[in-house]
Amino acid sequence: MAPRSTFVWWRERISEQIREWVEPDLVVVCDKSKIREKRIVGVPDLVVEIISKATVRKDKIVKFHRYERAGVKEYWIVDPLNETIAVYVLEEGRFRHQGMYVRAETIPVRLFPGFAIELKNVFTKEE
């Protein structure tokens, strides 16, 4: 399958105009009707951003607020240098910090009850 550009957008209730576009590092979309040939149309259920020195401000501040306003259900900020993942979940229209997870831990994926990701498989040690 060819790679797709992925964009998050929402409509303002009154004007019905697209307000903001961003391109996440990774998305999970549970509604197949949002997936088009070259883009995702609508709000993903889970967004993951992998920060670097060049993107840390944008990912932790700008995109954080855009995803929150858009209604993304879960937002993960991955810090590969420190081997941590900050997890935020949307509750009553606001992101709530669910936790900070490190390499030795497992992250429960709220979208899929009973499913979890072992971070030792994400932050692998090179041999």
Side-chain angles (χ1 to χ4, degrees):
M1 175 188 285
R4 290 187 175 106
S5 294
T6 306
F7 299 94
V8 177
W9 65 275
W10 74 94
R11 293 178 181 214
E12 196 169 303
R13 290 183 184 154
I14 298 169
S15 68
E16 291 296 312
Q17 294 178 5
I18 295 173
R19 300 292 296 170
E20 296 177 349
W21 295 75
V22 292
E23 191 169 357
D25 292 323
L26 186 137
V27 296
V28 173
V29 178
C30 297
D31 181 353
K32 288 183 181 181
S33 70
K34 294 179 181 179
I35 302 170
R36 305 291 167 79
E37 185 178 335
K38 295 186 179 185
R39 66 183 50 92
I40 305 299
V41 178
V43 180
D45 298 285
L46 169 65
V47 172
V48 178
E49 292 289 358
I50 302 167
I51 64 170
S52 67
K53 287 182 181 181
T55 66
V56 67
R57 181 187 178 286
K58 186 173 186 180
D59 292 336
K60 286 188 171 184
I61 299 171
V62 176
K63 287 186 175 184
F64 178 95
H65 293 293
R66 287 181 183 176
Y67 296 147
E68 183 180 62
R69 285 192 309 264
V72 171
K73 294 174 186 170
E74 283 190 57
Y75 180 39
W76 295 11
I77 301 174
V78 179
D79 181 345
L81 184 64
N82 294 304
E83 295 187 339
T84 61
I85 299 179
V87 175
Y88 298 88
V89 294
L90 194 68
E91 292 182 354
E92 297 180 15
R94 294 276 186 218
F95 277 142
R96 179 184 60 80
H97 187 246
Q98 179 187 350
M100 178 69 75
Y101 297 86
V102 298
R103 185 179 193 283
E105 295 181 301
T106 300
I107 297 179
V109 182
R110 289 181 53 154
L111 289 173
F112 308 108
F115 180 67
I117 297 173
E118 292 183 37
L119 294 187
K120 68 181 182 185
N121 297 322
V122 173
F123 301 116
T124 59
K125 298 285 185 187
E126 291 189 30
E127 296 180 29

